[in-house]
Amino acid sequence: MQIPTTDMGSEALIDLALWHKRTLELFDETRPLAAPLGEHIAALEGRAGSVRETRRAQIEPRVAVAHANLAADVTLRQLAAALREQDGGKPGRASKAIFPDGLTPIVTPVAGAQAAALTTLVQRLEANRALGAVVVRFLPIARGDLERLNTALSRRLERARAHGAARAEEVVAREMLVAVYQESAGKIWALYPHDRDRREFFFDRFRGAARGDEDSQRVAVDADAPAAVPAPVL
């Protein structure tokens, strides 16, 4: 008889608990154990669903961050090219004032690091308006890029925190279901101390249940399932 532990994935645990609940419902002496198990199955299903939903909800802000990064890089390369043209075709006074370390250090960062680099660039543009029309033209564009990136980063962080909270609640629900399952197993043992076949009936068999991830899948062992048919030798 295998009893699940809290490091089993939620879907695998729910499958095992559903088997256990259904078998408990079949006999008068075990039926009272089914109701509390069912409550905790439903609770874990809800928490696992929240984890799935909050994980997927992160996709949109993550795409928004990547898109804002891309837009900022385009602006930076256009700005560098315009300054180089203003300087006579090669990096000169204007280019060095805005990009003192060149373009690479400011287009290489991503996400929060990109926002920090872009903030510094906007400050340089604001301090060097006297360099002329190129700086004046690109300053509002860079500000807009920075605002979009910061907004996307804020939304991404908010969604990530929501996902983290959902995962923490799922862990608690999984621990509670395992505790109820283990308690039920103890009572089954006490009811049928000398009837191994009857005890085993209440517990689905399993192997290879991946640890604690909501996407893990259980591989059930079904004694009645047909063996795999080997491929023909050609």
Side-chain angles (χ1 to χ4, degrees):
M1 181 171 68
Q2 294 175 289
I3 302 299
T5 57
T6 56
D7 60 0
M8 174 177 283
S10 293
E11 292 301 320
L13 176 57
I14 289 169
D15 286 351
L16 289 174
L18 285 171
W19 171 289
H20 188 45
K21 175 177 176 292
R22 181 67 190 109
T23 56
L24 291 172
E25 293 169 341
L26 298 176
F27 304 96
D28 291 341
E29 65 270 26
T30 59
R31 194 169 295 119
L33 301 175
L37 191 68
E39 292 174 4
H40 287 285
I41 290 171
L44 181 54
E45 285 181 322
R47 298 309 183 191
S50 295
V51 168
R52 182 173 57 253
E53 291 171 3
T54 55
R55 183 181 68 249
R56 291 175 179 171
Q58 294 180 93
I59 294 174
E60 188 275 332
R62 288 176 55 221
V63 169
V65 168
H67 187 209
N69 266 314
L70 178 62
D73 286 348
V74 170
T75 296
L76 292 170
R77 295 183 190 282
Q78 291 175 344
L79 172 59
L83 290 172
R84 189 165 53 249
E85 182 179 354
Q86 178 178 316
D87 286 334
K90 61 181 180 180
R93 176 171 171 267
S95 296
K96 291 178 181 178
I98 305 303
F99 297 104
D101 300 313
L103 181 62
T104 301
I106 200 168
V107 296
T108 301
V110 296
Q114 172 76 309
L118 197 53
T119 298
T120 300
L121 177 99
V122 168
Q123 292 170 347
R124 289 198 195 112
L125 290 171
E126 291 173 338
N128 288 278
R129 296 171 192 260
L131 288 174
V134 170
V135 170
V136 173
R137 175 161 59 93
F138 275 91
L139 178 55
I141 299 173
R143 282 173 175 163
D145 287 342
L146 177 58
E147 182 178 358
R148 281 189 293 274
L149 179 56
N150 280 331
T151 298
L153 286 168
S154 178
R155 287 166 56 203
R156 187 182 72 171
L157 178 59
E158 179 183 345
R159 299 285 177 84
R161 285 173 173 168
H163 182 58
R167 287 186 65 88
E169 291 176 353
E170 181 198 23
V171 168
V172 172
R174 190 161 58 226
E175 290 173 346
M176 294 179 70
L177 177 54
V178 167
V180 172
Y181 193 112
Q182 291 176 344
E183 181 181 359
S184 177
K187 292 178 178 179
I188 292 298
W189 190 277
L191 282 170
Y192 311 110
H194 306 298
D195 192 342
R196 178 176 180 177
D197 288 344
R198 176 65 66 96
R199 292 197 308 267
E200 293 289 343
F201 168 76
F202 291 95
F203 304 97
D204 198 8
R205 290 166 292 173
F206 65 96
R207 65 167 181 263
R211 295 176 178 269
D213 190 302
E214 70 275 12
D215 296 321
S216 63
Q217 295 295 323
R218 179 176 63 89
V219 181
V221 182
D222 191 340
D224 297 324
V229 178
V233 179
L234 302 178

